[in-house]
Amino acid sequence: MRIVRSNETKTCVDGSLLKEFVLDEPLTPGFLIFLQAFGTVKEYPHMKRPYFSFEQEHFLSIKGFSGDTSIEVRYKKEGIGLTGDYFHLLLYYFREGDPGKAKMLGIAGSIREKMKVRLPPEDKERVP
Amino acid sequence: MQREDPGNASGRDSATPLVYLNNAATTWPKPRGVLSAVEECLRTPFFEQGRSTAGSAIDYLAAAREALAGLFRAERPDHMIFTRSATDSLNLLIHGFVSHENRPFHAITTELEHNSVLRPLHTLAAKGKITLSVVPFSEGHVSLSAIKAAVCPETRLVVMSHGSNVLGSLQDIRPIAEYCRANDLFLIVDGAQTAGQIPIDISEIPAGAFVFTGHKALFGLPGTGGFYLDDPEAIDPVQQGGTGTDSRSLFQPEGMPQKFEAGTHNYPGLASLLAGIRFIREEGQEKVARRCRDLTATFVRELSRDKNIVLYAPAPELPVVPFNIRNLDNDETGYILAKAYNIITRTGLHCAPLVHERIDGGSGCVRASMSYLNTEEECRAAAGAIREVAENADR
């Protein structure tokens, strides 16, 4: 999957940055399984359209519908600057399957370490 | 009833008709007369008193002042001041009052307020220009006794909303205004949610100032708003500039309304506001209020059947219905309603953080808000969709 365009960017109440992306192909159940390696995926398959959400506590959250080409990504305030490419990389490494998952976990670890360096001491312990 | 066909203005799902329930933010659609008034205004040169020899046939400023004074039963149209929003009005009034007092004093506001009240007051408190008490609400209402309990010898200013933008509660403002008048407290009433929504009789509310916005229930464009000021001597003008009058003077004119209106007005906006007020007068303010009450009651009745829907105001007095669905964040609910059902609501804190600390622990909620131009069919359809989402979130 690739991003075709970004439809909307806005800053949310909590300071997070929300972007709506349009993908070149619909989101698949396989992508949701891939996401499970990096955070919490909630699925509501009985909704009028099968809704899902993904939460990576410190980086971003994602909302969308399976089978849709539109997706909403919310970059958490504390990670902005480090996580700008994270969603793009998720899409890229999804193509590679399990090897991609391992690479992506490595990238996530690297982002966490950088976040710890940037965060004030009291917040460092919050980033696992 | 005049109504433009909303069509698929959101561009979301052409198969499903758009249901717009974010009218407490900005009403949509606008009456047909509002759209044509803006077009007519833009087709002709603006009538600018004292500034131009060429002018249109309509003096939008004077006509809108007269129309508002008539709608609100205000005695003096020239005390009706135009600004760009309720937020602009509240800032002009609060900072203008502080400037006029010219020494620190105590101010009172309430937990129900919008950030357009809370932020100016807290900014002034942080600078040591005022001390501030925030009065709690009970079941959506602020009582006179709660205001009285907060008053101290240094109190000079009270700022409070007429209607809550989150809970849809309507304050019994008259006794509070009478108490403030009797005790020499300047009362600013934020009528952003009530102006055009319910009958307002300013002559019966002895407040220092009544604030309105044009783009909500008055059906005007965003960028319009204002306030009615009873005593111009109580407020310093915090903006200075061209008025087209007394131009040799290097100071702001003292006369009304020029004392508080600097710069070129938003003529297309005022044309829309004038048309919006005329629409309300033609339909009847009582009829507008009654219809919105009925739509709200239908909507609430439909939602109250469902155990998976948390209603924060079981009987709102204004067409504002705050709710959450169990097992979903408010922004998820709003997202699903918008994308899967083409229903537009608003989610989050609604710029009223203290209300949310009380009702939902500060995490926010979904707000559905109706206008006179919504239909019962739309309200039933939206309620049905919300119940469907709630049911499926619980599976």
Side-chain angles (χ1 to χ4, degrees):
Chain A
M1 281 182 287
R2 289 188 306 107
I3 293 170
V4 176
R5 65 176 188 274
S6 173
N7 265 354
E8 186 180 9
T9 301
K10 64 180 181 184
T11 305
C12 300
V13 171
D14 61 359
S16 58
L17 184 71
L18 188 149
K19 289 191 176 191
E20 185 179 80
F21 295 112
V22 177
L23 308 175
D24 66 341
E25 55 186 291
L27 288 157
T28 60
F31 183 63
L32 301 188
I33 293 167
F34 181 74
L35 285 179
Q36 285 170 0
F38 311 103
T40 307
V41 175
K42 286 186 187 171
E43 291 184 73
Y44 298 88
H46 302 294
M47 292 284 179
K48 184 179 179 186
R49 293 166 69 187
Y51 172 74
F52 76 91
S53 67
F54 167 75
E55 178 89 20
Q56 206 294 348
E57 191 186 357
H58 302 287
F59 298 179
L60 50 73
S61 62
I62 297 173
K63 288 199 289 275
F65 299 96
S66 283
D68 199 357
T69 53
S70 171
I71 193 163
E72 194 175 286
V73 182
R74 194 161 168 168
Y75 299 89
K76 312 250 169 150
K77 185 182 176 184
E78 58 265 37
I80 289 174
L82 291 171
T83 56
D85 294 334
Y86 187 77
F87 178 65
H88 296 65
L89 293 169
L90 279 172
L91 294 176
Y92 181 80
Y93 284 113
F94 169 57
R95 278 182 252 164
E96 294 190 5
D98 283 343
K101 192 182 289 181
K103 286 177 191 165
M104 200 60 220
L105 285 168
I107 290 167
S110 168
I111 294 174
R112 282 198 186 88
E113 289 308 310
K114 286 178 185 165
M115 280 180 79
K116 283 181 184 173
V117 172
R118 290 192 186 182
L119 288 172
E122 63 272 19
D123 290 340
K124 281 182 185 172
E125 291 174 10
R126 289 186 57 245
V127 182
Chain B
M1 194 191 321
Q2 292 176 311
R3 175 175 163 153
E4 287 293 302
D5 179 8
N8 180 38
S10 74
R12 288 164 196 264
D13 179 359
S14 57
T16 311
L18 174 71
V19 177
Y20 182 86
L21 296 179
N22 190 22
N23 292 284
T26 298
T27 49
W28 187 91
K30 304 296 185 187
R32 197 176 304 136
V34 169
L35 306 186
S36 55
V38 173
E39 185 179 353
E40 184 189 344
C41 175
L42 289 169
R43 282 181 184 279
T44 47
F46 302 136
F47 181 95
E48 295 185 275
Q49 190 174 28
R51 295 189 199 217
S52 173
T53 53
S56 69
I58 301 171
D59 179 352
Y60 288 107
L61 270 172
R65 261 189 252 283
E66 292 281 352
L68 274 167
L71 186 70
F72 296 156
R73 300 185 187 182
E75 289 174 8
R76 289 166 290 188
D78 59 345
H79 284 220
M80 197 68 76
I81 304 300
F82 290 121
T83 66
R84 57 194 167 95
S85 60
T87 297
D88 197 25
S89 302
L90 288 159
N91 272 273
L92 289 174
L93 288 164
I94 292 168
H95 288 283
F97 186 80
V98 168
S99 170
H100 185 262
E101 288 293 296
N102 202 24
R103 63 190 168 87
F105 63 86
H106 175 247
I108 295 171
T109 191
T110 87
E111 286 179 334
L112 288 171
E113 303 314 311
H114 191 277
N115 275 338
S116 55
V117 169
L118 296 175
R119 285 178 171 170
L121 290 174
H122 277 85
T123 299
L124 288 161
K127 289 180 176 174
K129 300 203 170 184
I130 62 169
T131 55
L132 183 63
S133 295
V134 181
V135 171
F137 65 86
S138 175
E139 294 181 352
H141 297 92
V142 174
S143 66
L144 173 57
S145 59
I147 298 284
K148 281 182 181 177
V151 171
C152 65
E154 294 75 34
T155 306
R156 294 287 298 119
L157 176 67
V158 179
V159 190
M160 64 180 290
S161 59
H162 193 197
S164 167
N165 72 319
V166 178
L167 297 174
S169 51
L170 185 63
Q171 304 308 314
D172 186 10
I173 205 73
R174 185 173 171 181
I176 293 172
E178 287 171 345
Y179 170 79
C180 289
R181 178 63 56 93
N183 289 276
D184 195 26
L185 306 176
F186 192 84
L187 172 65
I188 300 172
V189 179
D190 175 4
Q193 293 296 330
T194 55
Q197 190 64 64
I198 58 166
I200 288 169
D201 187 342
I202 284 178
S203 68
E204 295 289 314
I205 304 171
F210 182 88
V211 169
F212 62 92
T213 189
H215 68 117
K216 300 184 195 286
L218 288 169
F219 291 114
L221 296 184
T224 56
F227 56 89
Y228 185 79
L229 184 59
D230 184 54
D231 176 14
E233 298 301 316
I235 305 285
D236 280 353
V238 294
Q239 292 180 347
Q240 291 80 34
T243 57
T245 58
D246 200 12
S247 296
R248 287 185 192 282
S249 171
L250 299 181
F251 294 94
Q252 193 70 8
E254 287 292 313
M256 291 289 276
Q258 291 85 359
K259 182 176 179 181
F260 298 101
E261 291 183 355
T264 302
H265 284 88
N266 175 1
Y267 291 100
L270 291 173
S272 74
L273 183 58
L274 178 60
I277 295 163
R278 285 177 177 164
F279 174 74
I280 292 166
R281 297 299 292 262
E282 285 163 11
E283 296 291 315
Q285 180 70 86
E286 287 284 357
K287 184 179 163 193
V288 169
R290 189 169 58 250
R291 177 175 171 76
C292 288
R293 274 199 305 272
D294 290 347
L295 291 174
T296 307
T298 298
F299 192 75
V300 167
R301 199 165 46 244
E302 295 276 328
L303 293 191
S304 60
R305 297 184 207 154
D306 196 315
K307 65 178 173 47
N308 291 315
I309 297 171
V310 182
L311 281 170
Y312 296 106
E317 295 152 294
L318 297 168
V320 172
V321 182
F323 68 94
N324 268 318
I325 289 177
R326 295 186 205 281
N327 299 329
L328 284 179
D329 289 340
N330 62 78
D331 65 321
E332 291 185 297
T333 302
Y335 183 83
I336 294 166
L337 288 173
K339 301 284 185 180
Y341 295 89
N342 222 6
I343 294 168
I344 308 302
T345 58
R346 177 157 287 193
T347 62
L349 300 181
H350 314 98
C351 297
L354 303 184
V355 180
H356 287 282
E357 280 181 20
R358 286 281 304 277
I359 67 168
D360 54 37
S363 57
C365 71
V366 186
R367 182 184 71 185
S369 51
M370 300 78 182
S371 106
Y372 180 67
L373 294 179
N374 281 119
T375 65
E376 185 160 320
E377 184 186 18
E378 286 176 330
C379 290
R380 286 188 192 283
I386 293 164
R387 285 204 314 271
E388 190 173 287
V389 173
E391 183 188 334
N392 289 324
D394 192 42
R395 289 172 74 176

